[in-house]
Amino acid sequence: MKINVEMKCPFCGSDHAVEVNLAQFEAWENGELIQNAMPDLSATEREQLISHICPKCQADFFEGEE
């Protein structure tokens, strides 16, 4: 079963959501590392779930980080 996890970006205030598998989401909530619990999500989507930072703000924040 899929669910939408809704959140608000702490930087720009935009509302956004990530669609996740409920069992995978529960595994993450119960302590599984997010990359192991939700390998089918992109790194950007996983970061959204962790920090609530929207993709645009992530791109602005992490630009040039390498």
Side-chain angles (χ1 to χ4, degrees):
M1 179 165 101
K2 298 272 187 172
I3 61 167
N4 280 321
V5 179
E6 298 178 0
M7 60 211 85
K8 182 178 290 287
C9 179
F11 292 113
C12 69
S14 68
D15 293 319
H16 54 102
V18 177
E19 184 180 77
V20 299
N21 175 288
L22 178 59
Q24 292 176 343
F25 184 76
E26 289 174 341
W28 174 55
E29 284 190 317
N30 289 320
E32 184 70 40
L33 293 174
I34 195 166
Q35 64 269 27
N36 295 338
M38 296 182 237
D40 52 321
L41 294 183
S42 69
T44 299
E45 291 169 319
R46 292 192 300 262
E47 183 60 36
Q48 280 180 270
L49 291 170
I50 294 167
S51 66
H52 297 186
I53 300 172
C54 73
K56 181 189 178 315
C57 289
Q58 284 185 51
D60 292 346
F61 182 75
F62 293 117
E63 186 175 294
E65 292 268 324
E66 285 178 291

